[in-house]
């Protein structure tokens, strides 16, 4: 693909789908990708504007100059640790294809644990009122609305750019009329009388000292505002716990995504308020602590 990597023999060979995938896989592996083959296929499918599965039935197709140029640019950026989801502009979450940009965190399978727990708890309520703090891409709110047709959701974020992405996703999945998107810091944009059956959040929970140790694609490209949780990673969580009582109904539930090392401390923080039944921790599919759940007394 790159001019300095081609020998005379290589240049004589056509750049087919299969050859580009193989070359890109090797190139990205050298540059630290944990999933170089998958990255190569997703990027080439994007460059060709085709489903990824179609690559396998067109393995011997020769790429035209326009597709090769597009692919070359994508591979260059990926080799510099730019996330694939930002390069192609979308990511799958809870069965939905969602728009993403560098203004929002990339939705991750771990966060589906929170959605699943929320859907389970809300299933018995006829018209659940749900507040999401720090909606980002809107992945949680949109997935919830798509699976709970009777739910009414308020989704808050401090970033107007993130809210633009969230609105775009809600519109694309036909749930925008059931989600009110508000700009502001946590509870600030809410009416003081607003009450909810569920308050949910995937807040920033990375400790400051750990930010530098994150993978380069996260550390250098995803928004730090949505990652950094202060000295111990709990600054925003403490703020939520201090203010949530005004807006969570008795018998309502608080659900917080947490870091895998925070499973022991969260029940203690929640218990300290005296306003909740004993909190429980839900593990993700990798059996790591992922969601703290507490019912308001």
């Amino acid at each position: 693909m790159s001019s300095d990597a081609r020998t005379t023999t290589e240049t004589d060979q056509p750049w087919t789908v299969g050859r580009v995938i193989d070359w890109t896989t090797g190139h990205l592996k050298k540059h630290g990708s944990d999933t170089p083959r998958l990255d190569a296929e997703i990027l080439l499918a994007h460059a060709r504007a085709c489903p990824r599965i179609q690559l396998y039935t067109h393995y011997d197709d020769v790429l035209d100059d326009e597709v090769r140029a597009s692919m070359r640019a994508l591979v260059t950026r990926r080799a510099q640790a730019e996330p694939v989801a930002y390069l192609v502009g979308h990511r799958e979450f809870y069965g939905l294809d969602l728009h993403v940009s560098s203004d929002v965190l990339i939705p991750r399978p771990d966060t589906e644990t929170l959605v699943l727990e929320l859907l389970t708890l809300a299933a018995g309520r006829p018209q659940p009122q749900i507040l999401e703090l720090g909606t980002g891409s809107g992945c949680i709110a949109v997935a919830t609305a798509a699976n709970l047709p009777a739910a009414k959701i308020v989704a808050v974020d401090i970033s107007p750019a993130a809210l633009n992405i969230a609105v775009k996703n809600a519109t694309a999945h036909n749930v925008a009329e059931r989600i009110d998107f508000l700009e502001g810091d946590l509870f600030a944009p809410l009416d003081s009388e607003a009450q909810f059956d569920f308050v949910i959040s995937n807040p920033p929970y990375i400790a400051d000292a750990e930010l530098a140790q994150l993978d380069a694609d996260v550390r250098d490209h995803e928004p730090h505002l949505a990652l950094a949780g202060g000295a111990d990673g709990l600054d925003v969580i403490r703020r939520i716990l201090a203010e949530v009582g005004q807006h969570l109904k008795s018998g309502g539930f608080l659900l917080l995504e947490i870091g895998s090392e925070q499973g022991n401390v969260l029940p203690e923080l929640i218990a300290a308020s005296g306003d909740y039944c004993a909190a429980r921790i839900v593990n993700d599919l990798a059996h790591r602590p992922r969601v703290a759940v507490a019912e308001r007394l």
Side-chain angles (χ1 to χ4, degrees), residues 75-87:
V75 172
T76 298
R77 292 168 65 186
R78 180 60 188 139
Q80 296 170 349
E82 191 166 347
V84 170
Y86 291 160
L87 294 175

Side-chain angles (χ1 to χ4, degrees), residues 114 201 203 237 240-241 254-258 266 270 290-292:
L114 189 155
S201 183
I237 290 175
I240 291 173
L241 292 175
L254 172 66
L255 293 89
L256 299 171
E257 180 168 332
I258 61 174
L266 256 295
I270 292 171
R290 185 56 57 195
V291 178

